[in-house]
Amino acid sequence: MTATKSPYLFEGQGSAIDDYLKPKTDNPKQTTNNSKNWGLFDKKNKQHLTLLSQLRTLQWTVKSEKWGEVADLNRLSDFLKSDKSPVNKPLKEMEPKEVSKIIECFKSMVVKRYK
């Protein structure tokens, strides 16, 4: 049995549920499970670009001073490391068939979100 978190007053932006479920770290740029970012992608790979577009459609984005709003690769990394991911590997190490599974997973998430 896992220990539950104690409730607290949410004083931030966005969803209180997302904030509650998000693990707290001293460094917000650091990923939770491992220091290696599994969400790093190859900008020349069409499948990786398709996955990035799915992230933007789901609004998994963060503000960037240089580029405005960009896909949240840390959140993607945490997803790929989680039990919810159909393939538990870094994105750059996946075979094309495995990346297709991830893309289909995100397409399903988009359909469920905007249905």
Side-chain angles (χ1 to χ4, degrees):
M1 184 172 190
T2 58
T4 59
K5 296 181 181 179
S6 59
Y8 64 94
L9 181 61
F10 177 72
E11 297 176 352
Q13 296 178 352
S15 169
I17 293 172
D18 288 343
D19 184 65
Y20 179 77
L21 297 175
K22 183 187 231 181
K24 303 295 181 229
T25 61
D26 294 336
N27 183 0
K29 297 203 183 253
Q30 179 182 357
T31 55
T32 54
N33 297 342
N34 194 346
S35 62
K36 185 178 176 188
N37 189 338
W38 285 19
L40 297 179
F41 65 98
D42 178 12
K43 68 179 181 180
K44 295 179 182 177
N45 186 327
K46 296 284 186 183
Q47 286 185 311
H48 292 187
L49 296 178
T50 301
L51 183 56
L52 289 178
S53 73
Q54 296 295 327
L55 291 175
R56 290 182 62 91
T57 303
L58 279 170
Q59 297 177 349
W60 283 21
T61 57
V62 291
K63 299 283 184 192
S64 167
E65 292 178 12
K66 186 175 182 180
W67 305 107
E69 193 173 69
V70 296
D72 188 355
L73 298 182
N74 289 332
R75 189 169 178 184
L76 173 62
S77 176
D78 291 342
F79 174 78
L80 293 174
K81 293 174 187 177
S82 73
D83 294 335
K84 296 177 183 179
S85 174
V87 181
N88 292 102
K89 280 175 134 176
L91 187 59
K92 283 191 170 184
E93 295 177 12
M94 290 185 193
E95 299 294 324
K97 189 173 183 179
E98 294 170 327
V99 179
S100 293
K101 286 182 182 181
I102 299 294
I103 291 171
E104 289 303 317
C105 176
F106 275 89
K107 283 182 182 178
S108 170
M109 291 165 65
V110 168
V111 167
K112 288 177 183 177
R113 179 171 183 156
Y114 295 106
K115 187 174 181 183

